[in-house]
Every structure is written in structure tokens, then in C-alpha cells.
Amino acid sequence: MSSSPGALPSFEQIRDAAARIAPHARVTPVLRSEALDALSGAELHFKCENLQRGGAFKFRGACNAVWALSDEQAAHGVVTHSSGNHGNALAMAAATRGIAAHVVVPEGAVRAKIEAIERAGAILHRCAPTQAAREAMTAEVEKAIGAVLVHPYADTQVMAGQGTLVLELLQQAPGLDALITPVGGGGLASGAAIAAHAIDPSLRLFGAEPQGADDAAQSLAQGSRITTVVPDTLCDGLRALVGERNLDALRAHQVDVITVSDEETIAAMQLLWSELKQVVEVSSATVLAAILQQRARFAGRRVGVVLTGGNVDLQALPWY
């Protein structure tokens, strides 16, 4: 049983989500940097979801999904598969409601993220590092325990929760011309697109995707969902294949997906650390990498830039 499978959320559902998560989620700040404006030739407004509970935007969607459950559903707990931020977010959200969270974690996931999931109180289930293994183990737990599946990006309530950050951003920085988010499974990108265009249909929407996991860009170019991409990128948060409904939303809202190399992304991450003074994880830095790569397309625009998370394994850094 899934909490709310498949369908894309309406703007109404995103507004409901904002009210639902308000007692639990943080309103994250929007930061500016003169140095990064000068480098990009644009006016950049950074929505710092690295400062969200659990260190990532994922808490919004997980919290909305958990609190949208009936008491009867919630009693059985929730289950998901995640290599990090969504699992951590779901465990934290489940704790706000006092229910169990089961998280299926693939071998080889970032150690710091696994430890965070455990600290948040989740029950961990290990599986092989493939999408098929993740889904099979999740289905097994779902069936054995009766837990409700809260999918990382293909769940209506999760997408609605992610879209709430755009409601905040457009209040904090009114009059933006463009918005850019990273693209992995597409839960954030689709929820953000729906919210953004409901408020301002003229907003230009962009996504940033690693070249080594460019299935969304390929799918949009070919007109059908590509599922053959084997991810090869340091951006561990963006390795998931874009969901079918999520892709529909990207297409419907004409989201322009820009692909960036890991080298460009690491350089952008270092800039965010040094100039914005924000610790962001590598997946988050794809957005700045895309803006700097395509400077002419963003020059002179007021751009909302979503920094999705800050869960960096500091002990894995080469100079530690």
C-alpha cells in the first residue's frame, strides 16, 4: 500500500502541504552573494534547504506524506528505499508522529547518510545497489509488516511537500524571472514546477542534472522515458531515474534540463562553500554549475537557485 501513488499534485495539495508541515519544517533562508552574482552575471537568490531539518529539502515531502496518513495507516508505520536524504527525512518525519520507519538502504551508500538514518531512529534493511533490489526489498517489508510505502519521488504527497519550498521562495524573493533545481528522481523538480507556474506562469524553469546520470535530459530530448542510463556520477543524490509522472510534469512545464560534469559541479560546490559560506553536498551544486556553464542564458535574470542539501561526509574529504 502506497501513501499516495502516482498522480501529480495540484496547487491546492501543495498549499495544503504547506499548512500540514508548518508545525514541523523550517522556513529556510534565502541568501545572496555579490561575488556569485558577479561571476554569473545574474542576480542569484539561493534557497538554502541545506538548513532544513535533516539537512535537506526531503524533510518537506516526507513530513507531508507522514501527516497525510489516516491514523489506521500510520499505525503500521512507513517504508521507503533511499541512499540517504529521503530515508533520513522519513525517519525524522515518522518520529514527529511517533510511528515506525523502515528504510531499505543499498550497499555502498554514503556512510554519513546511513548513520544519520540510524540516528533518526529508522529500522534499516540492506540490499544490493540496484534499483530492482531496492524495490524488491521494499515490497517485501511492505508486505510483511503492512507498512505504508512513501516513495522518494513518485508519491503525490511527497511531490506536494517538495513544492512548498517554492511557495516560500516566491514570498521571500518576489519577482524572480527563473528557477533552477537539481533533477534526480524528479520529486522536487515536478513539485516546484507545479507550484511555480501556478503562482507565475511566466517563470522560466530549469533543471540541473549530472552528465553521468542524464536520463531526464535524454528522455525530454527523445520524447519518451529512457531507463537504460547506468548512473556514473559523484552526485549520489541524483542517481535515481526520473519517475514517469515526474517526467510528465517536466515536459508539461517546459523545464529546460542542463547537464553538468562532475568537475564543473565540484568547482561550483567549492564556490558555494567559499563565497556563500554554506556547506552543501555535491548534488546541490549542480544548479550553480549549470548557471556558470550557461552564463549567457541566465545573464541579467533574477534567478531562484535551490540548494537541496548539505549532508557531506566530512571524513571522506581528501584533506581530512
Side-chain angles (χ1 to χ4, degrees):
M1 176 176 56
S2 178
S3 77
S4 187
L8 291 167
S10 64
F11 183 54
E12 214 51 55
Q13 285 174 305
I14 294 171
R15 285 211 301 220
D16 290 347
R20 198 177 279 127
I21 71 173
H24 310 288
R26 289 183 191 143
V27 174
T28 53
V30 173
L31 299 183
R32 303 284 318 281
S33 161
E34 286 179 14
L36 295 179
D37 282 2
L39 264 180
S40 64
E43 187 182 301
L44 306 180
H45 297 259
F46 293 96
K47 180 64 169 158
C48 293
E49 285 294 298
N50 55 306
L51 301 175
Q52 186 52 262
R53 281 182 72 172
F57 76 96
K58 297 274 190 179
F59 183 75
R60 294 175 181 273
C63 186
N64 187 49
V66 161
W67 283 96
L69 296 173
S70 68
D71 288 344
E72 189 187 345
Q73 288 175 311
H76 294 282
V78 287
V79 62
T80 197
H81 54 82
S82 169
S83 59
N85 287 339
H86 176 68
N88 183 34
L90 189 64
M92 292 180 72
T96 67
R97 197 164 174 180
I99 63 175
H102 298 264
V103 180
V104 174
V105 177
E107 295 297 341
V110 176
R111 189 169 54 85
K113 291 187 176 183
I114 296 173
E115 287 171 359
I117 295 170
E118 285 186 304
R119 273 199 310 274
I123 300 149
L124 259 57
H125 306 264
R126 305 280 182 151
C127 73
T130 67
Q131 191 72 15
R134 285 163 68 140
E135 288 171 4
M137 175 74 79
T138 303
E140 219 174 280
V141 174
E142 205 182 333
K143 192 177 173 189
I145 299 164
V148 179
L149 171 64
V150 178
H151 194 278
Y153 51 84
D155 182 297
T156 308
Q157 299 296 2
V158 167
M159 288 184 265
Q162 318 307 27
T164 63
L165 72 81
V166 172
L167 303 187
E168 287 177 15
L169 172 59
L170 294 180
Q171 282 185 329
Q172 292 164 310
L176 294 178
D177 306 310
L179 173 71
I180 185 166
T181 71
V183 178
L188 168 62
S190 51
I194 292 163
H197 275 169
I199 295 167
D200 181 359
S202 70
L203 259 181
R204 285 291 309 276
L205 302 180
F206 295 90
E209 190 175 44
Q211 284 171 3
D214 65 345
D215 59 292
Q218 283 193 42
S219 299
L220 288 168
Q222 292 208 18
S224 60
R225 186 166 174 254
I226 304 290
T227 58
T228 51
V229 173
V230 178
D232 180 17
T233 174
L234 290 173
C235 302
D236 63 289
L238 303 178
R239 289 177 188 151
L241 291 174
V242 69
E244 209 164 323
R245 295 287 80 79
N246 309 87
L247 184 64
D248 290 344
L250 300 191
R251 198 180 286 115
H253 292 276
Q254 298 180 312
V255 177
D256 196 342
V257 177
I258 297 163
T259 61
V260 288
S261 69
D262 279 359
E263 291 71 26
E264 289 170 317
T265 302
I266 290 163
M269 181 175 77
Q270 290 170 335
L271 279 171
L272 289 164
W273 287 32
S274 63
E275 299 299 340
L276 204 62
K277 310 303 178 197
Q278 291 298 304
V279 175
V280 298
E281 59 195 78
V282 66
S283 299
S284 289
T286 53
V287 285
L288 180 59
I291 291 167
L292 296 177
Q293 183 206 92
Q294 303 278 328
R295 202 173 178 278
R297 296 170 77 181
F298 292 95
R301 289 184 161 172
R302 301 184 73 222
V303 188
V305 186
V306 180
L307 299 178
T308 44
N311 293 320
V312 177
D313 187 353
L314 295 174
Q315 292 182 6
L317 295 175
W319 58 82
Y320 192 86

